[in-house]
Amino acid sequence: MTLQEYDYARESPSKLAASCLLLALTMKNLGGWTPTLQYYSGYHSKDLHPLVKRLNFLLTYQPCDKLKAVRTKYSQRAFFEVAKIAPMDMLKLEEKLKSC
């Protein structure tokens, strides 16, 4: 979804990927940012928090209905219907990010 948003073009691809992973781990309650993830990504959890919040906001408030291809694709069973997963409440996300 970030490929369709100009605001995310300035982010480094590695930081964007790490932030997406942290958001996914948080949304699915699969643990936090481990020392191993920190070592291999090169990012501390705190460095990713602002981008994680922006990504969750992007999931929560879809900018327009014209660009539906990505959402439609990842709503299919072959992709585990990940586009149908509800975004986190911003306050709950903030709480969880503080703990990791």
Side-chain angles (χ1 to χ4, degrees), residues 1 27-28 58-60 62 67-88:
M1 292 184 67
M27 288 174 76
K28 298 299 284 179
L58 177 66
L59 293 174
T60 304
Q62 300 298 314
L67 305 172
K68 293 182 181 180
V70 174
R71 181 169 277 295
T72 302
K73 177 180 178 178
Y74 288 98
S75 293
Q76 296 174 10
R77 193 170 191 190
F79 295 100
F80 304 101
E81 300 177 334
V82 295
K84 293 180 179 178
I85 298 172
M88 289 191 71

Side-chain angles (χ1 to χ4, degrees), residues 32-77:
W33 200 247
T34 64
T36 304
L37 289 170
Q38 180 179 328
Y39 176 79
Y40 285 108
S41 71
Y43 295 107
H44 293 276
S45 173
K46 302 280 186 218
D47 299 335
L48 303 174
H49 290 183
L51 188 52
V52 169
K53 291 175 193 174
R54 285 179 47 214
L55 289 167
N56 191 61
F57 186 82
L58 177 66
L59 293 174
T60 304
Y61 300 102
Q62 300 298 314
C64 78
D65 292 332
K66 293 179 185 176
L67 305 172
K68 293 182 181 180
V70 174
R71 181 169 277 295
T72 302
K73 177 180 178 178
Y74 288 98
S75 293
Q76 296 174 10
R77 193 170 191 190

Side-chain angles (χ1 to χ4, degrees), residues 2-5 8 11 13-14 16-17 20 23 27-28 31-34 41 47 49 63 66 81 84 88 96-97 100:
T2 59
L3 292 174
Q4 301 173 12
E5 297 295 322
Y8 293 92
E11 299 294 343
S14 64
L16 190 58
C20 288
L23 179 59
M27 288 174 76
K28 298 299 284 179
W33 200 247
T34 64
S41 71
D47 299 335
H49 290 183
K66 293 179 185 176
E81 300 177 334
K84 293 180 179 178
M88 289 191 71
K96 288 198 173 204
L97 289 177
C100 67

